[in-house]
Amino acid sequence: MSENFNSLDVDVLFVGGGPASLAGALHLTKLVARSNERIAAGALRDRKLEPQIAIIEKGRDVGAHAISGALFDPRALEELMPDYAKQEFPFPVTATAHEVHYLTTEHAYQIPPWVIPPAYRSTGCYVGSLQKLNLWLAQQVEDAGVHLFNETCGTKVLYDNDYVCGVLTGEKGLDSDGGRKANYEPGTRIQAKITVFGEGPRGTLAEDVIHKFNLRKGKTPQSYALGVKEMIRVRNPGSPGLAIHTLGYPLGSRVFGGGFCYGIDDHLYAVGIVCGLDWDDPRMDPHAQLQQLKKHPLIQQFIAGGVVVAYGAKTLPEGGVFAIPRLYTDGALLIGDSAGFLNVPYLKGIHYAMKSGMVAAETIVDALHSGNVSASALSSYESRLEGTYVIRDLHHVRNFRRMFALGFYPGLALGGLTMWTGLGPTRPGRMREDFTYLQHHENAIAKQRTHEPAQYDAGVLADKLTDVFHSGTEHREDQPSHIRIVDPSRCLTDCIPRYGDAPCTYFCPAKVYELIGQGDDLHIRVNFSNCVHCKTCVIKDPIDVSEGDGVQNIIWRAPAEGGPRYQGL
Amino acid sequence: MKQVPATESKLTIVADGNDIDRSNLSFIVNPYDEFAVEEALQIKERLGAGEVTVLSMRQHESQKPEEALRTCLAMGADKAILLDGPAFHGGDSFTTATALTSAIQRLPFDLLLFGKQAVDDDGGTVGIQVAELLGIPHVAVVNKLEVHPVSRAVVAHRQVEDGIEVVEASFPVVITCQKGLNEPRYPSLPGIMKAKQKPLNTWTCEDIGIDPGRLGASGAKLKTLRVEPPPTRLTGRILDGDTSTAVKELVRILHEEEKLI
Ligand SMILES: Cc1cc2nc3c(=O)[nH]c(=O)nc-3n(C[C@H](O)[C@H](O)[C@H](O)COP(=O)(O)OP(=O)(O)OC[C@H]3O[C@@H](n4cnc5c(N)ncnc54)[C@H](O)[C@@H]3O)c2cc1C
Ligand code: SF4
């Protein structure tokens, strides 16, 4: 590897350009300006701050890897920019009615609205795409003087005597063997006083920091869900403001999760399904489940005759309040989905992500003033956050997800009860990592459900590869693969005998893994250029190659180049 | 340099049917123009002298050519100029060439590099028209270029049907760039930081002394009557069975169903 790096010094570095970092960086510029005004007015005796603030984002822009529902609760934005509605805010549509339906194969039963606690009703939330929100925030952030570096992936955390002191960005222009092409561009060592990890769920670098400093000590392991989503364009007038959540079919009682269908504008629907990754069925395929959901009469009434125009997939952290790691260490903070602030029954994370970034900004201003970026100085981030709705809301629903470990129907009843009352244990229960649900089954083949072979029509029902095309994802065919199977022989000695199949070929929503060849030539092919960066494989891969150390057979590192190019997800 | 919709964009057509809907598009530097910028930078680096200026024009309100120009500055160009104002909107390749020519006449130059075509409308004539309007030579679709500063000439290679054509031309000259000429560099982070300090000037039609009537729809020689999407792609079919049955089935389909053979 090259020792020849570019270098760049900043004061504060946000890794990942999602709503958490964008809101955090913007709030930071505002807090700095406010404190400088007070200093200028003599109200505060301190030196003026002129921090260099940078955000790095691996996507082509901050919208390219952004995927969400999205029903957007403007709570954090109201605080960040009270006049947001006057600033060309990109969401013209609000949810007019929020319906929850329980689906059977043929029918839909609407759950009476009064059953749903008021705090979980999405009526009044904005309906739109996270891409637009991110691009809009990015404009404000850049106008405020923040350096936003797109197509820049953090590939390594820089440590200095156990202090986090920045990140190294990926080298570009490498060929498939790691050799340098004519346009080779070395990585950059971005040194920062404070590094804020807002990489979204299961951040490659955030997890490195969490492991190194054992930040999950005393917490439950994080558990995840995979969300797959399509945008469907219809000719008939659509239903802007429609917000439907579904339970039951097609996931049934074996997989925790549900579907959604949102009316985005006059001709566009967002349809998706979110599946808890603690399933035990080795042939569970979330993409196929989405197609099943789309065939249901409740959804068909909206999308029949339409065409898929965009597709994407991403994981969501569902472990709740007990799975949140310690949020600070020397020189670093964790924000947004990288920390795990997602409210499962409310199915919302954007405003919690934003708020966490903003609270981090408050701590950062103090640290910049004092010049102290040690863990103890940064620990006020965690205590501040505890006083906000981020932790309060997550604490209220702490037992919702856990009730489903008792089975789906009792879970529904008890989970619903905890939503109303906030009651239940206040200490974590035992939760296992998602991959163990496949791993520990003695008779995993028996857990398989037979999935009816899907029929696709290239219109409103799409096969996986067509959907990969709709994600716009691309990695140069001659770039080094960012996915590595540590010991390919284990696929044949572990998975095939145990499951009669390779689960990765089902759970990956982008057909990256393919079982090909026959007899002695049977092997897994890794089509890395299809990857949409959802992170399911690192979470769900059942083979633990390190015998208990948590190193799985699939290693996924954020690539220096490429990835999805989502449009309006 | 033209900013074009990203190549993976899903285009839809606006209600009146004579343009694409540009409201939700991502834009990129036209890939062939990237070859031109890279070539200019390499020439400057090889000669250790010269200045690279990037010129662009906002043709539609929705475009953000400033971003594309900043990208070129981050790659290493010295300065950027944007032709901007309602007069430049719409029009065709002729009005584009007319506007660019007026701007270029206000700049010192030896070598004008263009992409061989823009990947959005695939016209492929702007560079050549500029050469015509300026009354200077051009060499189109070049995939190798030597520059000789002392004799003030270039030797350009172009791929033609059955070989390579080698053309010599003297300064000032227009070159349009083809894939294979070079591998465009990635903007480095220090390059992006430096680009923020580099000049990006905006010129209006008054600045380049051109009558707005010669630009846009009124100056255009072409009129778009209608824009239609290409026919939708049909789903593929995978034929089951071993090779010999699959081949037989394929021949049967080609002969009986598709009537191609
Ligand atoms: C299908 C689905 C539906 C959802 N629906 C809703 C909803 O309706 N309402 C709601 O409020 N929330 C919803 N959520 C959750 C919400 O989208 C997330 O909580 C929110 O996006 C988290 O924001 P973030 O900034 O923490 O992370 P992200 O939005 O994930 O952003 C992280 C960014 O960091 C970048 N990145 C990652 N690693 C690196 C690296 N090493 N270097 C550089 N860049 C990197 C990524 O490319 C990405 O752009 C949904 C999520 C999904 C998947
Ligand atoms: S390879 Fe892994 S990260 Fe990429 S799309 Fe498949 S499951 Fe997601």
Side-chain angles (χ1 to χ4, degrees):
Chain A
M1 224 180 130
S2 162
E3 287 306 313
N4 151 33
F5 301 113
N6 293 316
S7 61
L8 186 70
D9 284 339
V10 297
D11 295 285
V12 185
L13 172 65
F14 288 85
V15 183
S21 295
L22 292 165
L26 185 57
H27 197 53
L28 181 55
T29 61
K30 294 186 183 216
L31 293 175
V32 166
R34 220 172 290 160
S35 122
N36 286 351
E37 272 166 30
R38 293 183 56 206
I39 292 165
L44 191 73
R45 284 183 43 173
D46 215 323
R47 70 201 155 78
K48 266 179 86 171
L49 293 176
E50 284 174 343
Q52 293 283 326
I53 306 165
I55 303 177
I56 58 171
E57 165 56 45
K58 65 180 157 66
R60 185 177 56 205
D61 54 42
V62 294
H65 292 184
I67 162 173
S68 192
L71 292 177
F72 172 57
D73 182 332
R75 199 163 173 185
L77 184 60
E78 277 160 5
E79 189 188 334
L80 179 65
M81 287 170 70
D83 63 342
Y84 72 91
K86 296 195 202 92
Q87 306 286 338
E88 296 176 14
F89 181 62
F91 289 178
V93 175
T94 49
T96 40
H98 178 208
E99 300 171 14
V100 183
H101 293 261
Y102 180 80
L103 305 187
T104 61
T105 329
E106 299 285 328
H107 300 283
Y109 302 96
Q110 186 175 354
I111 294 178
W114 53 264
V115 174
I116 304 161
Y120 299 93
R121 295 175 197 153
S122 296
T123 319
C125 284
Y126 290 101
V127 189
S129 94
L130 180 60
Q131 172 182 44
K132 281 196 182 157
L133 180 71
N134 282 358
L135 288 171
W136 176 75
L137 283 170
Q139 189 62 54
Q140 327 275 337
V141 161
E142 288 204 278
D143 290 348
V146 173
H147 305 291
L148 175 56
F149 300 112
N150 294 323
E151 294 189 298
T152 303
C153 180
T155 51
K156 232 183 186 172
V157 184
L158 301 176
Y159 296 104
D160 179 12
N161 285 327
D162 281 354
Y163 262 75
V164 174
C165 63
V167 306
L168 174 66
T169 69
E171 306 165 277
K172 295 181 181 172
L174 294 176
D175 64 23
S176 46
D177 302 321
R180 295 176 181 185
K181 297 179 26 136
N183 58 352
Y184 170 78
E185 179 62 40
T188 299
R189 286 176 62 95
I190 309 183
Q191 309 247 23
K193 292 188 184 121
I194 302 176
T195 309
V196 189
F197 294 91
E199 291 177 281
R202 190 78 171 212
T204 318
L205 305 186
E207 290 298 317
D208 191 58
V209 173
I210 290 170
H211 268 105
K212 184 172 165 83
F213 300 110
N214 201 9
L215 302 183
R216 279 203 210 287
K217 199 170 127 206
K219 317 281 173 162
T220 56
Q222 185 57 274
S223 51
Y224 297 87
L226 172 62
V228 288
K229 174 186 166 185
E230 289 173 350
M231 301 300 290
I232 296 172
R233 182 180 293 281
V234 294
R235 220 168 282 145
N236 307 331
S239 355
L242 175 84
I244 289 183
H245 286 148
T246 70
L247 296 165
Y249 179 85
L251 297 179
S253 59
R254 293 271 299 279
V255 177
F256 173 84
F260 61 85
C261 176
Y262 304 146
I264 304 294
D265 66 26
D266 285 341
H267 294 284
L268 212 53
Y269 288 98
V271 183
I273 197 162
V274 176
C275 314
L277 285 183
D278 54 353
W279 66 65
D280 56 10
D281 174 357
R283 289 199 178 146
M284 165 69 189
D285 180 341
H287 174 270
Q289 299 292 326
L290 172 59
Q291 305 310 314
Q292 296 291 355
L293 173 69
K294 282 159 56 189
K295 284 200 256 178
H296 193 279
L298 177 76
I299 308 296
Q300 274 290 315
Q301 64 174 312
F302 303 113
I303 64 168
V307 288
V308 176
V309 292
Y311 170 76
K314 200 178 75 172
T315 46
L316 306 80
E318 290 202 334
V321 75
F322 299 129
I324 297 173
R326 202 181 89 189
L327 297 170
Y328 56 90
T329 184
D330 292 315
L333 297 172
L334 302 171
I335 60 173
D337 275 7
S338 287
F341 306 124
L342 187 107
N343 184 333
V344 179
Y346 193 32
L347 188 59
K348 295 211 176 24
I350 302 174
H351 65 292
Y352 297 115
M354 292 175 68
K355 177 71 181 172
S356 69
M358 290 157 64
V359 175
E362 293 170 18
T363 295
I364 293 169
V365 172
D366 289 351
L368 291 176
H369 271 302
S370 69
N372 181 354
V373 298
S374 68
S376 63
L378 296 181
S379 69
S380 74
Y381 166 50
E382 204 169 279
S383 42
R384 277 178 199 189
L385 210 55
E386 272 161 19
T388 68
Y389 58 84
V390 178
I391 298 298
R392 271 206 308 274
D393 287 6
L394 260 63
H395 194 259
H396 190 80
V397 298
R398 67 194 175 282
N399 292 311
F400 179 81
R401 180 75 172 83
R402 182 147 71 143
M403 293 302 160
F404 285 82
L406 305 171
F408 184 77
Y409 298 107
L412 201 59
L414 290 169
L417 198 65
T418 68
M419 272 164 71
W420 272 102
T421 59
L423 293 177
T426 51
R427 300 183 63 75
R430 208 165 59 93
M431 291 287 275
R432 292 191 276 137
E433 290 196 59
D434 293 316
F435 72 92
T436 62
Y437 288 82
L438 280 181
Q439 204 183 32
H440 289 320
H441 275 291
E442 298 301 317
N443 190 0
I445 293 184
K447 295 279 175 191
Q448 279 171 207
R449 289 189 293 174
T450 42
H451 295 285
E452 80 183 69
Q455 294 291 321
Y456 302 115
D457 62 4
V460 84
L461 296 182
D463 62 79
K464 233 188 229 186
L465 271 185
T466 304
D467 265 345
V468 170
F469 165 75
H470 288 308
S471 76
T473 196
E474 190 180 279
H475 299 79
R476 264 194 297 120
E477 289 293 341
D478 69 342
Q479 83 185 51
S481 172
H482 61 289
I483 301 167
R484 191 163 67 87
I485 297 189
V486 181
D487 181 356
S489 72
R490 297 281 298 265
C491 304
L492 307 181
T493 57
D494 289 40
C495 280
I496 306 289
R498 196 188 300 160
Y499 311 114
D501 216 326
C504 57
T505 61
Y506 293 85
F507 62 59
C508 170
K511 221 172 163 86
V512 168
Y513 304 97
E514 250 184 309
L515 195 55
I516 57 167
Q518 268 159 0
D520 287 349
D521 190 34
L522 187 71
H523 64 281
I524 297 274
R525 181 166 68 192
V526 179
N527 305 309
F528 71 87
S529 75
N530 286 356
C531 177
V532 297
H533 298 196
C534 76
K535 319 249 174 116
T536 303
C537 51
V538 266
I539 298 166
K540 198 61 185 163
D541 170 19
I543 308 176
D544 182 350
V545 285
S546 65
E547 304 304 334
D549 220 10
V551 179
Q552 283 155 273
N553 207 16
I554 295 176
I555 293 189
W556 189 102
R557 309 273 317 167
E561 295 176 58
R565 292 166 177 183
Y566 290 149
Q567 288 177 51
L569 289 171
Chain B
M1 186 278 303
K2 182 175 187 182
Q3 195 195 36
V4 295
T7 36
E8 78 286 358
S9 307
K10 308 263 170 47
L11 303 180
T12 51
I13 291 167
V14 292
D16 70 0
N18 64 7
D19 200 0
I20 55 165
D21 180 1
R22 294 168 198 272
S23 51
N24 283 320
L25 296 177
S26 300
F27 292 96
I28 56 170
V29 177
N30 173 39
Y32 291 107
D33 298 349
E34 273 188 354
F35 298 128
V37 173
E38 176 64 29
E39 196 61 18
L41 296 173
Q42 289 192 13
I43 293 168
K44 182 184 160 185
E45 283 161 3
R46 269 201 309 272
L47 302 182
E51 191 179 67
V52 177
T53 304
V54 187
L55 178 60
S56 188
M57 182 176 115
R58 193 195 311 271
Q59 218 166 3
H60 299 277
E61 242 171 318
S62 58
Q63 273 176 317
K64 298 185 185 106
E66 295 89 346
E67 288 175 9
L69 287 170
R70 284 278 171 227
T71 304
C72 299
L73 292 173
M75 287 170 76
D78 300 293
K79 60 184 187 199
I81 296 167
L82 175 63
L83 305 185
D84 201 5
F88 297 108
H89 295 173
D92 61 1
S93 61
F94 177 69
T95 54
T96 305
T98 307
L100 294 179
T101 303
S102 294
I104 290 165
Q105 281 168 330
R106 283 162 172 74
L107 297 163
F109 64 92
D110 291 318
L111 192 55
L112 296 175
L113 293 151
F114 290 80
K116 74 156 178 150
Q117 71 197 67
V119 299
D120 53 354
D121 53 26
D122 281 337
T125 60
V126 169
I128 301 165
Q129 292 190 56
V130 169
E132 244 356 89
L133 292 169
L134 288 169
I136 62 175
H138 79 260
V139 192
V141 199
V142 168
N143 56 14
K144 188 172 166 208
L145 186 66
E146 294 163 27
V147 176
H148 302 288
V150 180
S151 55
R152 297 185 50 76
V154 294
V155 176
H157 294 226
R158 17 190 343 251
Q159 194 85 43
V160 289
E161 192 129 335
D162 41 12
I164 293 168
E165 189 176 53
V166 183
V167 183
E168 195 182 303
S170 51
F171 288 171
V173 55
V174 166
I175 303 289
T176 74
C177 302
Q178 165 70 316
K179 193 173 173 173
L181 182 61
N182 53 47
E183 288 256 16
R185 68 193 63 189
Y186 301 90
S188 69
L189 297 203
I192 296 170
M193 297 288 278
K194 262 188 233 148
K196 297 190 179 199
Q197 315 301 330
K198 291 181 182 174
L200 193 168
N201 297 318
T202 301
W203 288 1
T204 62
C205 54
E206 292 86 65
D207 293 327
I208 58 173
I210 191 165
D211 168 13
R214 292 176 56 206
L215 302 174
S218 49
K221 304 227 180 262
L222 297 175
K223 187 166 183 261
T224 305
L225 298 179
R226 205 168 58 243
V227 179
E228 282 176 8
T232 43
R233 192 173 59 111
L234 298 171
T235 34
R237 262 166 83 178
I238 295 177
L239 303 178
D240 295 324
D242 59 25
T243 316
S244 68
T245 39
V247 169
K248 275 196 198 116
E249 177 63 6
L250 176 66
V251 172
R252 190 194 64 75
I253 293 170
L254 292 177
H255 183 65
E256 291 173 16
E257 291 180 19
E258 304 295 331
K259 307 214 184 320
L260 290 171
I261 53 174

